[in-house]
Amino acid sequence: RRRCGQSHTAYWSVLRHTILCVRARPAASAAPRAMASASTSAVWWLTILSGLIGAISKMEAGVAMLGVEDSMVVDSAASPWQYVGKFGYTIGQGTYDFRVRLRDPSAEPTTMDFELFLDEEWDRIGQLQPCRRALVARKTHLLRATQEWSPWMGGILMQAVRPHIWYFALSKCGGFALPNATVAVEFELRAQQFDSSELSVELRYMPLATGIAIACLSGFLLRFADRRRRLLQSMGVVHPVIHVLAGATLLQWTAQMLQWLHLFAFEAYGIGESSVEAAAGVLFMLSQVVSSTLLIMIAQGYTLDSSRDFVLRKAKPVAAVVALVHVLLVGHGKLQGEHSEKHHENEGAVGWTLLLVRLLLYVWFMVGVHSQKSAGCLRLQPFLNRFALAGSLYFLAYPAIFIIVQLFAQYLQHPLLEIGMAVMQTASAFWMCNLFLGRGMYYKVSTLSASLLPGFGSPTSSPTRLKLD
């Protein structure tokens, strides 16, 4: 699917406003100023990036291939009936507009139907022959397609009780075309809510939710930087696990910022899927991979026993493979684009494969925990019990969320999955921050405290290996 480009005047107006706001920002104290500088620089470049790779547009456009084979497959390339898009309308009076033209300059003019289906009847579509699907259409418009764009054909859709997803399709079952000919039809579709928003109902409150996530993560990073600074002053060194946690959180913050920019442009200008959204999905997934790897390494004994620091070197290739698998799955989901049965990013085989990978990682994590318990270290037992519980909640969160969202209405699945995953990742960042930077149980039994204890400055010694007889 392609997008119809418009003038970038509105985009550059927003960019100039962002530049002026950044320049007018008052100076802050030293530590927050560094973080603020990094944040504003990121906003600067992400705003420019979003303008360069996605054309600002108020229309979705594509090409429908209308054939003559009366196939039962909904998206069959040879079918005279083709799905062209969907849009979720919230309660109120929404609108839609549609127009078509023939792609081939030598094609004969033809007529075709533009059909609208309610989500309550959509499941029946696959059970009907293509040319009988109009029987369950709620609305039908007759269009004449030539080499010039047809007049805009539009209408109003009223939702009174609850939000609904409406599906749009083109059909030439009743139109005139050359026998046994496949017609390439270019179309442009625009849908709006009652308040002129171009966000489908499943995305309607995502800008607010994403903004809250960014605010929470920004506050967390400022607090994290301050605690790290004080730790560095008191100990003279910061353990690598703290830097890894910072990297995971920065990946999530960048992903949320990219997602917010995408949603902002979509709501204001109707921009469609872009590389910004794809990058946000990949970075958010990488943030989860980094957090998962860190938990598994600790379960294998990293930081709990200095003699087992070799597990970090062994785990790096495995972590790289896991990260690659996650990125490929996310990329595959993005490449599938929008289809009639896709209601969230992890729909279908991609979601179930991610679920399987998370379960395998959870098994790896628990094997490591049990291995540490069986080693007989008395001081580690209370910590390992709590650590196993917290890690289990993290690794099983995605499988639980993924399965639970299937029980909800289709227009609720995307926001529930996205918000649930963001809450899970943010909560894990807060928990690991307290774990690594606090002076609690983990600090006492791990090598993080070794530099403050007499006789434990050597990297080969460990304050925690107290064996049971």
Side-chain angles (χ1 to χ4, degrees):
R1 214 175 250 207
R2 60 180 177 84
R3 290 339 184 220
C4 295
Q6 280 185 330
S7 170
H8 284 65
T9 304
Y11 163 74
W12 292 113
S13 176
V14 173
L15 178 59
R16 286 195 297 271
H17 177 71
T18 303
I19 295 171
L20 293 175
C21 289
V22 170
R23 289 180 176 175
R25 179 167 295 180
S29 60
R33 184 169 62 247
M35 181 65 71
S37 176
S39 300
T40 52
S41 297
V43 172
W44 170 283
W45 288 111
L46 293 176
T47 305
I48 293 176
L49 181 64
S50 68
L52 292 177
I53 66 178
I56 292 176
S57 166
K58 289 198 173 185
M59 291 173 290
E60 290 191 7
V63 178
M65 304 299 295
L66 299 177
V68 294
E69 178 185 333
D70 201 20
S71 172
M72 290 288 287
V73 181
V74 173
D75 294 324
S76 171
S79 173
W81 185 98
Q82 291 290 333
Y83 161 83
V84 296
K86 65 177 183 289
F87 191 82
Y89 290 92
T90 189
I91 295 177
Q93 183 173 283
T95 62
Y96 63 91
D97 296 281
F98 194 82
R99 65 177 182 174
V100 295
R101 70 176 178 184
L102 297 177
R103 191 176 189 180
D104 186 357
S106 61
E108 292 287 337
T110 185
T111 59
M112 60 194 63
D113 293 326
F114 177 58
E115 300 170 352
L116 287 78
F117 301 85
L118 191 61
D119 51 10
E120 295 173 348
E121 285 93 21
W122 184 250
D123 290 340
R124 297 176 54 192
I125 293 299
Q127 304 171 7
L128 299 173
Q129 293 290 338
C131 291
R132 294 185 59 83
R133 291 167 185 165
L135 298 176
V136 296
R138 291 297 182 98
K139 287 188 176 184
T140 301
H141 297 280
L142 181 63
L143 302 172
R144 178 172 174 79
T146 65
Q147 280 68 31
E148 301 295 329
W149 283 110
S150 66
W152 283 103
M153 182 72 69
I156 295 173
L157 296 173
M158 184 69 185
Q159 324 303 314
V161 178
R162 68 169 182 89
H164 285 281
I165 297 177
W166 285 82
Y167 297 84
F168 307 100
L170 276 177
S171 170
K172 74 176 187 71
C173 292
F176 170 77
L178 294 176
N180 301 320
T182 297
V183 180
V185 181
E186 294 185 6
F187 66 86
E188 293 182 348
L189 169 65
R190 177 179 177 180
Q192 290 185 329
Q193 306 285 1
F194 69 92
D195 57 359
S196 298
S197 170
E198 302 202 34
L199 288 178
S200 186
V201 65
E202 67 272 12
L203 299 175
R204 188 165 178 79
Y205 297 105
M206 290 307 297
L208 175 62
T210 305
I212 293 174
I214 293 172
C216 291
L217 289 170
S218 299
F220 168 79
L221 287 171
L222 289 173
R223 177 63 174 164
F224 182 89
D226 181 62
R227 294 184 67 178
R228 179 195 175 279
R229 177 186 58 80
R230 288 189 280 117
L231 179 65
L232 182 62
Q233 290 176 349
S234 64
M235 298 184 63
V237 66
V238 176
H239 199 280
V241 295
I242 297 174
H243 294 151
V244 173
L245 175 60
T249 309
L250 283 172
L251 284 172
Q252 184 187 0
W253 183 90
T254 306
Q256 297 291 349
M257 181 61 72
L258 285 169
Q259 184 69 12
W260 183 85
L261 287 171
H262 167 73
L263 291 171
F264 171 77
F266 206 147
E267 184 175 32
Y269 310 116
I271 191 172
E273 292 185 11
S274 66
S275 299
V276 172
E277 186 189 22
V282 170
L283 291 178
F284 184 62
M285 193 61 68
L286 288 177
S287 173
Q288 298 173 54
V289 171
V290 172
S291 298
S292 300
T293 304
L294 187 55
L295 292 175
I296 291 173
M297 292 306 94
I298 295 175
Q300 296 289 327
Y302 179 63
T303 74
L304 299 178
D305 181 2
S306 58
S307 65
R308 294 185 60 83
D309 285 352
F310 69 90
V311 300
L312 180 62
R313 294 189 299 271
K314 293 177 60 177
K316 285 181 180 179
V318 179
V321 172
V322 172
L324 179 61
V325 170
H326 279 78
V327 170
L328 290 176
L329 287 172
V330 173
H332 176 70
K334 296 293 183 182
L335 288 175
Q336 286 183 325
E338 178 188 348
H339 54 83
S340 59
E341 303 304 323
K342 184 176 181 179
H343 300 290
H344 55 78
E345 294 302 318
N346 296 341
E347 190 76 58
V350 171
W352 290 106
T353 305
L354 284 173
L355 185 147
L356 177 60
V357 172
R358 293 301 173 86
L359 291 179
L360 292 175
L361 292 176
Y362 174 62
V363 171
W364 188 10
F365 170 79
M366 290 304 299
V367 168
V369 171
H370 286 297
S371 175
Q372 292 298 308
K373 285 184 176 182
S374 62
C377 182
L378 179 61
R379 294 180 62 188
L380 286 179
Q381 300 301 320
F383 164 74
L384 289 173
N385 290 331
R386 296 185 183 182
F387 185 67
L389 176 61
S392 297
L393 291 176
Y394 179 79
F395 283 104
L396 297 178
Y398 172 76
I401 294 171
F402 178 78
I403 292 174
I404 290 173
V405 299
Q406 314 299 324
L407 305 177
F408 288 84
Q410 295 170 343
Y411 63 88
L412 293 175
Q413 292 180 8
H414 177 82
L416 288 176
L417 181 67
E418 294 294 318
I419 294 174
M421 295 298 294
V423 170
M424 174 208 72
Q425 191 64 15
T426 304
S428 71
F430 276 83
W431 172 71
M432 284 193 281
C433 177
N434 290 327
L435 186 70
F436 299 149
L437 295 176
R439 298 297 178 93
M441 186 180 299
Y442 174 71
Y443 176 81
K444 295 176 182 178
V445 303
S446 70
T447 56
L448 270 68
S449 61
S451 61
L452 295 183
L453 298 175
F456 292 111
S458 170
T460 60
S461 59
S462 171
T464 63
R465 305 307 295 176
L466 186 62
K467 293 290 185 177
L468 289 174
D469 293 334

